[in-house]
Amino acid sequence: MILENFVVFEGIDGAGTSTQIEILKNSEFKDRFFFTAEPTDSETGKFLRKMLKGDVELDARTSAYLFAADRAEHLWGNSGGNCGVERQCRSGKIAVSDRYFFSSLAYQSVTCGEELPRDLQKPFPLPEILFFFQIDPETSLSRIGGRETREIYEKVDFLRATEERYEKVVSEYEKAHPEMRTVRIDATKPKEEVASLILAELKSLIG
C-alpha cells in the first residue's frame, strides 16, 4: 500500500539526507512540508538514539523490534513532535522523512540477518516517493569525520555491508512496487545540484 504525500530520503550515514532536509526547510515551499525523521523524538526514539551513540548496549534483535515500534509511533502515534505521519499526509501536508523502514532492512539485516527485519516491516505502507542517496562509504565517512561523536554504525566495514544491502533492497522494491517512485541520487554531486533535482521531483506533489 502507498501512503500518498509521503516522501522518504534513504542512504548510508554521511550521504547527505539531513543536509537536503535542511535545504527544503528553507525553500519557498517549506510550508507545504511536514519534516520528520527516524528515530523519532518520542520516548522510544530517544532510547534508540542512546543506543546509536553506544550509551546502551542491546541485542541486535531487540534493536530491530525497537526500531519497528518507533516506526509505528512515527506513522500512527499521538505523542506529538514528529509522530503521526499518516495524519499529516491525509491532511494534505507532504511528509518528508529522513529514514524509514528501508534503513532497517539495510542496517538491521547486517546485525541480525534478513528475516526478522523483513517480517517487522510488513505492516508499514510504502512512501509515494523514495529518494535513494548513493555514495561510497569512504566518501561518506570523510564527510562526517568532523563530528564530535560517532554512532555505532559509522565504521567503514559496516557501512560497506550496509551499502550492499541498501542496493539489494531498493532494487527489489523498484521491481516489485513500480507504484512507488524511486529516484536514485548521486550523493557525490554538489548539494545545490542535488537540491534542484529533488525539488523538480517533488513538484508533482507540491502542485
Side-chain angles (χ1 to χ4, degrees), residues 13 49-55 137-156 159:
D13 296 82
R49 290 187 187 280
K50 289 182 180 179
M51 183 273 293
L52 289 171
K53 290 178 181 177
D55 296 339
E138 289 79 9
T139 302
S140 72
L141 284 175
S142 71
R143 288 181 171 182
I144 62 181
R147 290 181 185 172
E148 290 185 7
T149 58
R150 286 280 189 95
E151 293 188 347
I152 59 172
Y153 296 145
E154 292 174 352
K155 299 169 184 173
V156 66
L159 289 182

Side-chain angles (χ1 to χ4, degrees), residues 9-20 131-137 139-143 163 183-195 197-198:
F9 288 5
E10 289 281 6
I12 61 173
D13 296 82
T17 58
S18 299
T19 297
Q20 293 304 319
F131 289 97
F132 177 37
F133 289 61
Q134 296 178 286
I135 192 169
D136 64 272
T139 302
S140 72
L141 284 175
S142 71
R143 288 181 171 182
E163 180 194 29
V183 181
R184 290 171 177 264
I185 299 284
D186 180 352
T188 64
K189 290 183 178 295
K191 63 182 181 181
E192 295 82 7
E193 186 176 338
V194 172
L197 187 156
I198 289 170

Side-chain angles (χ1 to χ4, degrees), residues 6-7 21 25 33-41 49 74 81-85 94-99:
F6 187 28
V7 176
I21 294 277
K25 284 181 178 179
F33 299 112
F34 172 72
F35 295 103
T36 183
E38 294 187 2
T40 68
D41 54 14
R49 290 187 187 280
H74 189 209
N82 64 352
C83 297
V85 164
I94 302 165
V96 182
S97 181
D98 190 353
R99 300 196 178 282

Side-chain angles (χ1 to χ4, degrees), residues 55-68:
D55 296 339
V56 179
E57 188 173 342
L58 299 174
D59 182 85
R61 292 162 295 187
T62 305
S63 298
Y65 278 107
L66 285 172
F67 274 107

Side-chain angles (χ1 to χ4, degrees), residues 88-115:
Q88 294 288 338
C89 291
R90 300 205 186 286
S91 75
K93 285 281 191 178
I94 302 165
V96 182
S97 181
D98 190 353
R99 300 196 178 282
Y100 188 48
F101 70 65
F102 304 96
S103 288
S104 287
L105 294 176
Y107 281 81
Q108 267 74 67
S109 67
V110 175
T111 55
C112 64
E114 295 184 1
E115 185 176 355

